[in-house]
Amino acid sequence: MSTEVSGMIECRSGARLWGAGDEDSVWHAASDLFLLNNSNAYDALACIFGMRNSFGFRPLAEGRGFPSDASEDLQAGYAVYGGSPDVHGTTWITWAELASTDWQETDSSGTRSRESVAGDTTRWGPVWSVMRTLSELHGAESVRLVAWFY
């Protein structure tokens, strides 16, 4: 049985102006992951999210669950997949975390680097490009990718 990934990029557009704790600094949907990446390459899912991690990567964002402060659009998108009962893993990662990642780190065999399986030149490149651009506008901690697996 295969594992598919879905998700959404969100940003807190008001956080840079009013601070992350301000009542107007809520998360907004920015882009559906489907529009930027339709790949379920297992080595990339293992590297980033810890899903199907037979490769031995140290996952960047494993098992964090669905964010309690998710935007309405993200909640609606997640509900389409049946929510928690039909999804077998949900997590999220900020651009700040991705920007500080050692992309040369390898899997347990030492043959696959993070960059080679999920870097800018892979199918994840467009996702990182959008997140990078949004972080320049709104701040790295105010941009995140929320992903779920089914």
Side-chain angles (χ1 to χ4, degrees):
M1 176 180 243
S2 69
T3 298
E4 302 293 328
V5 60
S6 248
M8 193 170 289
I9 297 170
E10 292 185 302
C11 66
R12 257 186 320 213
S13 57
R16 188 169 265 177
L17 296 173
W18 302 295
D22 188 88
E23 65 184 26
D24 292 325
S25 295
V26 296
W27 291 97
H28 297 276
S31 181
D32 192 303
L33 184 60
F34 177 77
L35 298 173
L36 302 170
N37 176 353
N38 59 5
S39 172
N40 68 337
Y42 292 152
D43 51 1
L45 297 183
C47 166
I48 304 165
F49 307 113
M51 293 302 297
R52 299 189 71 126
N53 195 4
S54 61
F55 304 95
F57 276 105
R58 185 180 56 82
L60 299 175
E62 183 175 23
R64 294 179 174 176
F66 192 81
S68 61
D69 57 353
S71 67
E72 290 180 16
D73 287 337
L74 176 59
Q75 292 176 42
Y78 184 67
V80 167
Y81 288 87
S84 296
D86 295 326
V87 170
H88 60 262
T90 307
T91 194
W92 55 271
I93 189 166
T94 66
W95 179 251
E97 293 171 291
L98 288 163
S100 66
T101 293
D102 175 3
W103 289 94
Q104 299 312 308
E105 184 178 335
T106 61
D107 64 4
S108 60
S109 72
T111 59
R112 291 178 186 85
S113 69
R114 290 187 187 285
E115 182 177 34
S116 70
V117 301
D120 284 334
T121 61
T122 69
R123 290 190 156 209
W124 286 91
V127 177
W128 308 151
S129 180
V130 168
M131 291 182 76
R132 185 180 298 111
T133 299
L134 289 170
S135 77
E136 291 168 4
L137 297 169
H138 307 295
E141 288 290 340
S142 294
V143 177
R144 70 181 174 196
L145 169 63
V146 180
W148 55 90
F149 310 90
Y150 56 98

